[in-house]
């Protein structure tokens, strides 16, 4: 028997689809429903490795955690990892299958993936009581509808009701809801059950006349108005949730335990991937994390992080153009802490041979670590476990670069020389004991009287954030109506709103 389901679409990118999907998953699992997330096609540089060694979007891994199930490749069968404005690596069922231009992908390859995407969805629906699907961008992208495998394409094929989320904080949400619906074909409109307002500030009673008018114009109800929630700190999908020179989190954390704070500067390199690695640092009381793009912004930093990137050679050129490379070299000479993760680790090495990612051939690294990197056609996807600084560490690896470590002190799979550290392991800082030991080392090297808080548990904080998402749904959405929608599908007889799809 096929389980219930729902497609969470959005009027725009970043309307809140990812967090609403996670919130619905957490609300359902708390009600005893066996639920799974799904996104047929995801474009993101933030990815995760499942236990079976498959690469999927981090947003779907986060949603699986919200649903209290183990993430699998079934939940995100197609992942696109941009390498430029015009091309992306295509990851199918967790494994890279090639690099395609946007025109080549939407011109034919995308439609070929429809059957495997639907097979994954049907397998999940046969296993779970409910599957909450996340759309991408907007379902009213009429130029892409013919080959769509993530919005109305799967809603039509699977007969899923559609809930459209709009970000009222941007303005124009009524026009977004109406226009999104009116640009869909009659067959697609028949599945659009209603709307969900996201990020509302103020008195909801002031909004209600507009919602009534929207009902009159479209024949579709609004299932809830979610308030603007500060500091959710949940993994994003296809863009930085912070701006450059902005704090990585908005929420208020406890004051530092020691006398000093630690300032962390993260170099916002091009094609930055898995910038979520620094979330665990930002969760520590007394640690201030900022993304930077200018050399002078490194001056007062106690730790500089060079994060992962889908373009190591491009990131190196960017660091050099902006004077950040010279600033990193000076820091290393002065014994001031630097951490390179994945692509950032590769950039800190001596030499790179890249005939795969950039096809640039031989390129000099920054020479801060005794490491030589050769890019291999096959991607390393792993979930390593190890020990560093006397603590157990878990992480995950996603990289084409193979590092040959020629010296220094061992550090996870990489090395350390003085105050410069490098590893391919994403997610290592989420291991609480290791993170605290690492921060103590950084504080000592930086001369700061900073003391890590003894009880910070990143896993507990993440669970609290997911519960907050579940609370938003439970407290501000019509959950009885939402449950009927998931179980019974879109109401029959929803009116057509002209003009429809051209």
């Amino acid at each position: 028997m096929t389980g219930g389901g729902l497609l969470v679409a959005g009027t725009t990118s970043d309307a809140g689809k990812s967090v609403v999907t996670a919130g619905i998953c957490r609300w359902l699992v708390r009600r005893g429903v066996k639920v799974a997330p799904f996104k047929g096609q995801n474009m993101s540089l933030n990815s995760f490795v499942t236990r079976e060694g498959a690469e999927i979007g981090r947003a779907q891994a986060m949603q699986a955690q919200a649903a209290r199930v183990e993430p699998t490749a079934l939940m995100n069968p197609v992942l696109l990892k941009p390498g430029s404005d015009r091309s992306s690596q295509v990851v199918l069922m967790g494994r890279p299958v090639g690099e395609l231009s946007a025109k080549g992908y939407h011109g034919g390859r995308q439609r070929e993936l429809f059957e495997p995407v639907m097979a994954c969805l049907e397998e999940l629906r046969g296993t779970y009581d409910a599957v909450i699907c996340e759309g991408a961008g907007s379902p009213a992208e009429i130029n892409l509808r013919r080959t769509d495998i993530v919005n109305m394409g799967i809603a039509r094929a699977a007969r899923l009701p559609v809930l459209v989320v709009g970000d009222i904080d941007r303005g124009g949400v009524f026009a977004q809801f109406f226009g999104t619906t009116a640009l869909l074909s009659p067959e697609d409109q028949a599945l659009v059950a209603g709307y969900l307002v996201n990020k509302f500030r103020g008195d909801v009673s002031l909004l209600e006349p507009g919602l009534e008018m929207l009902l009159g114009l479209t024949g579709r109800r609004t299932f809830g108005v979610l308030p603007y929630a500060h500091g959710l700190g949940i993994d994003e999908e296809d863009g930085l949730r912070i701006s450059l020179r902005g704090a990585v989190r908005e929420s208020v954390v406890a004051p530092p335990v020691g006398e000093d704070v630690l300032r962390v500067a993260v170099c916002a390199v091009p094609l930055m991937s898995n910038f979520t690695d620094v979330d665990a640092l930002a969760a520590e009381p007394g640690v201030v994390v900022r993304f930077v793009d200018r050399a002078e912004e490194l001056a007062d930093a106690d730790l500089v992080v060079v994060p992962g990137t889908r373009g190591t050679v491009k990131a190196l050129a960017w660091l050099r153009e902006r004077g950040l490379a010279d600033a990193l070299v000076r820091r290393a000479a002065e014994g001031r802490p630097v951490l390179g993760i994945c692509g950032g680790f590769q950039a800190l090495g001596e030499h790179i041979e890249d005939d795969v990612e950039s096809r640039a051939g031989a390129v000099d690294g920054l020479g801060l670590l005794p490491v030589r990197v050769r890019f291999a056609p096959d991607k390393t996807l792993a979930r390593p476990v190890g020990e560093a600084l006397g603590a157990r560490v878990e992480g995950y690896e996603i990289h084409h670069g193979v590092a040959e470590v020629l010296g220094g002190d061992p550090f996870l799979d990489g090395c350390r020389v003085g105050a410069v550290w490098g590893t391919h392991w994403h997610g290592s800082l989420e291991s609480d004991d290791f993170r605290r030991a690492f921060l103590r080392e950084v504080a000592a090297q930086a001369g700061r009287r900073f003391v890590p808080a003894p009880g910070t548990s990143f896993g507990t904080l993440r669970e609290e954030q997911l519960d907050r998402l579940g609370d938003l749904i439970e407290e501000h959405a019509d959950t009885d109506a939402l449950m009927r929608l998931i179980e019974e599908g879109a109401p029959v007889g929803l009116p057509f709103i002209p003009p429809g799809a051209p």
Side-chain angles (χ1 to χ4, degrees):
M1 178 179 174
T2 298
L6 175 70
L7 175 70
V8 178
T11 58
T12 61
S13 293
D14 202 32
K17 297 183 293 292
S18 295
V19 294
V20 167
T21 300
I24 293 174
C25 285
R26 178 50 60 102
W27 159 66
L28 286 172
V29 77
R30 292 196 306 207
R31 290 187 58 159
V33 177
K34 186 181 178 185
V35 59
F38 177 80
K39 183 159 186 169
Q41 172 198 293
N42 191 351
M43 177 173 279
S44 180
L45 287 170
N46 284 337
S47 57
F48 180 77
V49 179
T50 67
R51 294 209 180 276
E52 74 265 34
E55 184 180 9
I56 65 172
R58 270 199 71 104
Q60 279 62 65
M62 174 270 291
Q63 290 160 358
Q65 186 176 349
R68 296 181 179 144
V69 295
E70 189 67 33
T72 74
L74 292 172
M75 298 171 185
N76 179 206
V78 179
L79 173 64
L80 305 179
K81 303 195 72 176
S84 71
D85 290 339
R86 294 178 176 268
S87 68
S88 294
Q89 184 181 68
V90 181
V91 179
L92 176 62
M93 294 303 295
R95 296 288 172 181
V97 294
E99 196 93 11
L100 279 179
S101 68
K103 186 174 182 180
Y105 182 71
H106 291 289
R109 184 62 199 272
Q110 184 183 36
R111 193 64 192 177
E112 296 173 10
L113 299 173
F114 183 76
E115 286 190 13
V117 165
M118 286 304 302
C120 291
L121 175 56
E122 289 309 310
E123 185 171 342
L124 289 174
R125 294 187 78 189
T127 306
Y128 291 88
D129 300 330
V131 178
I132 308 303
C133 307
E134 179 188 346
S138 162
E141 289 167 348
I142 54 180
N143 56 316
L144 304 177
R145 176 61 182 92
R146 183 178 60 85
T147 57
D148 172 48
I149 63 171
V150 65
N151 290 309
M152 300 311 299
I154 68 162
R156 282 268 293 279
R159 303 305 301 168
L160 291 171
V162 178
L163 180 70
V164 181
V165 178
D167 178 358
I168 198 170
D169 200 47
R170 296 182 177 188
V173 76
F174 295 117
Q176 292 172 27
F177 285 144
F178 183 87
T180 297
T181 309
L183 278 178
L184 300 178
S185 69
E187 296 82 3
D188 286 353
Q189 286 194 26
L191 294 172
V192 176
Y195 313 110
L196 185 75
V197 175
N198 191 28
K199 299 183 184 177
F200 180 73
R201 304 173 191 251
D203 185 348
V204 176
S205 66
L206 298 176
L207 192 65
E208 288 171 353
L211 301 179
E212 286 296 320
M213 285 186 273
L214 184 66
L215 174 62
L217 288 166
T218 67
R220 290 159 174 86
R221 58 166 299 172
T222 298
F223 283 78
V225 178
L226 306 186
Y228 192 101
H230 288 276
L232 287 173
I234 294 295
D235 297 355
E236 292 288 346
E237 172 183 285
D238 54 3
L240 278 171
R241 71 174 178 279
I242 47 81
S243 60
L244 289 178
R245 292 178 293 281
V248 75
R249 61 184 283 143
E250 298 171 307
S251 57
V252 177
V253 296
V257 175
E259 296 178 43
D260 288 342
V261 299
L262 274 187
R263 295 172 176 84
V264 179
V266 185
C267 297
V269 296
L271 299 173
M272 180 164 42
S273 60
N274 289 63
F275 54 82
T276 48
D277 281 335
V278 298
D279 282 355
L281 294 179
E284 282 284 348
V287 177
V288 180
V289 178
R290 300 195 322 146
F291 287 83
V292 303
D293 62 349
R294 299 185 303 202
E296 56 267 31
E297 293 177 293
L298 304 190
D300 67 345
D302 301 307
L303 169 67
V304 175
V305 178
V306 187
T309 171
R310 171 90 161 85
T312 301
V313 170
K314 184 179 288 189
L316 266 170
W318 182 87
L319 290 168
R320 287 178 167 129
E321 288 165 5
R322 290 177 170 262
L324 287 158
D326 289 340
L328 288 168
V329 171
R330 286 194 299 272
R331 283 186 69 88
E334 295 165 0
R336 301 177 67 199
V338 176
L339 171 65
I341 301 174
C342 200
F345 165 45
Q346 296 165 6
L348 298 181
E350 297 173 350
H351 185 77
I352 293 171
E353 288 285 342
D354 182 10
D355 296 316
V356 175
E357 191 173 76
S358 69
R359 297 180 173 85
V363 178
D364 288 333
L366 298 185
L368 303 185
L369 292 173
V371 174
R372 299 177 72 86
V373 177
R374 176 183 56 81
F375 276 72
D378 294 333
K379 181 185 284 190
T380 297
L381 296 169
R383 290 276 294 268
V385 177
E387 185 176 305
L389 303 179
R392 186 176 185 273
V393 187
E394 295 184 25
Y396 58 99
E397 295 183 63
I398 306 168
H399 53 93
H400 283 280
V402 178
E404 181 185 5
V405 179
L406 303 172
D409 297 321
F411 177 63
L412 303 176
D413 70 331
C415 65
R416 170 191 181 181
V417 174
V420 181
W421 317 64
T423 176
H424 272 132
W425 291 21
H426 293 291
S428 61
L429 293 167
E430 295 179 17
S431 297
D432 297 327
D433 289 341
F434 166 71
R435 182 180 64 255
R436 285 190 277 269
F438 176 71
L439 289 174
R440 281 192 289 269
E441 289 262 357
V442 167
Q445 291 168 336
R448 295 288 185 189
R449 290 172 293 183
F450 168 85
V451 178
T456 303
S457 165
F458 185 75
T460 299
L461 289 172
R462 172 53 54 91
E463 279 295 305
E464 290 173 359
Q465 301 290 56
L466 294 172
D467 275 331
R468 286 182 65 196
L469 294 182
D471 293 343
L472 284 174
I473 298 298
E474 193 164 331
E475 295 169 10
H476 301 282
D478 185 338
T479 52
D480 290 340
L482 204 54
M483 185 64 82
R484 285 195 299 272
L485 196 62
I486 292 167
E487 293 176 342
E488 301 171 11
V492 176
L494 291 168
F496 170 69
I497 309 302

